[in-house]
Amino acid sequence: MIVQVVRTAAELREASARLLAERQGRSQGLVPTMGALHEGHARLARTAVEQNDVVVATIFVNPLQFGDAVDLDRYPRTLEADVALLEEQGVDLVFAPSVDEVYPGGEPLVRVTAGSLGEKWEGASRPGHFDGALTVVAKLLHYGIPGAGLPAAGAFATGARAGLPAYRAYFGQKDAQQLALVRRMVSDLNFPVEIVAVPTVRSAEGLALSSRNRFLSDQEREAALVLSRALRLLEDRANAHEPLDLDSAHALVASQPLVDLDYFDVVDPRTLEPLAENCRSVPFRGEGLALIAAKVGPVRLIDNVPLSS
Ligand code: AMP
């Protein structure tokens, strides 16, 4: 199957409606990305292909979520390779709109705000980032509504969705705060879509794959491994039903001089509030999420592991 690249919302609606009709499809999956794709994105796409009759991937570097124009300018753009990778996974449609297509009147007046959940952790060092990210995710989730171009679209507008295809959207566990916020947005604002989380894909050494890893020198890449090692330390403790030894994990990170730690804590996976101090002294029970962020050379890296015991 050859992937089809579309540039406008109208083309996307037409193409997805045609594919759904041809296949008598009962489900559509959406995989939002910013491009510069790697095996992590490929896993999202493959999961979507396994679970849906029609799959749309989007490639859009969203200016609204970059605080820094330099960071936006240097974000890697590799459309041709991205399309080839998505085709290999079996994706049907790639929606790669221009900034003008997504924001025809310039920056939108009305936006989604992430609230207090968007102000902690990543949000604390990137003010406004999650408002911008959620605003574009809201738009992308709307562009990708299956059947919007079918005659049955009227049924959607009147609220009668029965008989329309199922709609799922795929997000990586790698961006745990984004995932928690997307889930909250979908629940708080009644978006008609199921959010599917996909586990983090790592290099053989454990480094979480990221489009920004290409900016690491060999030495920095080696140093960055301490992040996943520290997370694994906590994961091993949780799996062994032991107290989480956050102090040793912090000491491990501090032993690596090239790593400038921003935050490292264990939180509730839904609210992202730090877990009670006693998870350090009594055997760990329940659900948690260990979050870490650090600057390694010029690159800000984030990683996390879900804890369950
Ligand atoms: P991005 O292009 O960086 O905005 O990421 C697009 C999607 O891919 C997001 O849902 C990310 O969480 C997900 N993603 C990025 N890196 C990974 C990874 N290493 N493993 C799994 N998913 C990832």
Side-chain angles (χ1 to χ4, degrees), residues 30-101:
L30 184 80
V31 183
T33 82
M34 297 207 297
L37 303 183
H38 49 63
E39 184 51 34
H41 302 104
R43 178 151 177 197
L44 256 64
R46 272 201 306 281
T47 309
V49 168
E50 280 160 22
Q51 298 180 355
N52 297 279
D53 296 323
V54 173
V55 172
V56 179
T58 70
I59 298 179
F60 181 61
V61 182
N62 173 35
L64 236 53
Q65 70 192 69
F66 285 81
D68 179 349
V70 178
D71 195 28
L72 173 64
D73 278 349
R74 75 166 196 172
Y75 199 85
R77 287 155 171 93
T78 58
L79 185 65
E80 213 174 303
D82 294 346
V83 170
L85 176 141
L86 292 168
E87 182 168 281
E88 269 170 47
Q89 317 312 315
V91 167
D92 301 296
L93 295 170
V94 175
F95 179 45
S98 65
V99 173
D100 278 350
E101 172 70 19

Side-chain angles (χ1 to χ4, degrees), residues 6 8 18 24-25 48 50 57 83 101 105 121 131 158 176 181 184 186 197 204 230 236 243 258-259 268 308-309:
V6 293
T8 67
R18 185 176 37 75
Q24 301 189 330
E50 280 160 22
V83 170
E101 172 70 19
W121 310 118
D131 294 356
T158 57
L181 277 163
R184 269 311 285 261
V186 162
D236 290 346
L258 291 181
V259 171
D268 177 289
S308 174
S309 176

Side-chain angles (χ1 to χ4, degrees), residues 32-35 38 40-41 44 75 171-172 174-175 178 199-201 209:
T33 82
M34 297 207 297
H38 49 63
H41 302 104
L44 256 64
Y75 199 85
F171 291 87
K174 158 80 168 42
D175 296 284
Q178 171 174 278
T200 302
V201 177
L209 299 191

Side-chain angles (χ1 to χ4, degrees), residues 152-201:
F156 178 76
T158 57
R161 260 182 72 77
L164 286 181
Y167 183 25
R168 305 185 183 96
Y170 295 78
F171 291 87
Q173 176 64 42
K174 158 80 168 42
D175 296 284
Q177 190 169 5
Q178 171 174 278
L179 174 62
L181 277 163
V182 169
R183 286 195 189 286
R184 269 311 285 261
M185 175 175 77
V186 162
S187 151
D188 287 353
L189 302 181
N190 300 83
F191 280 52
V193 61
E194 177 192 347
I195 301 301
V196 180
V198 178
T200 302
V201 177

Side-chain angles (χ1 to χ4, degrees), residues 126-176:
R126 304 178 69 185
H129 167 71
F130 287 117
D131 294 356
L134 285 187
T135 299
V136 85
V137 169
K139 293 191 63 131
L140 295 171
L141 289 173
H142 287 141
Y143 288 127
I145 291 173
L150 294 168
F156 178 76
T158 57
R161 260 182 72 77
L164 286 181
Y167 183 25
R168 305 185 183 96
Y170 295 78
F171 291 87
Q173 176 64 42
K174 158 80 168 42
D175 296 284

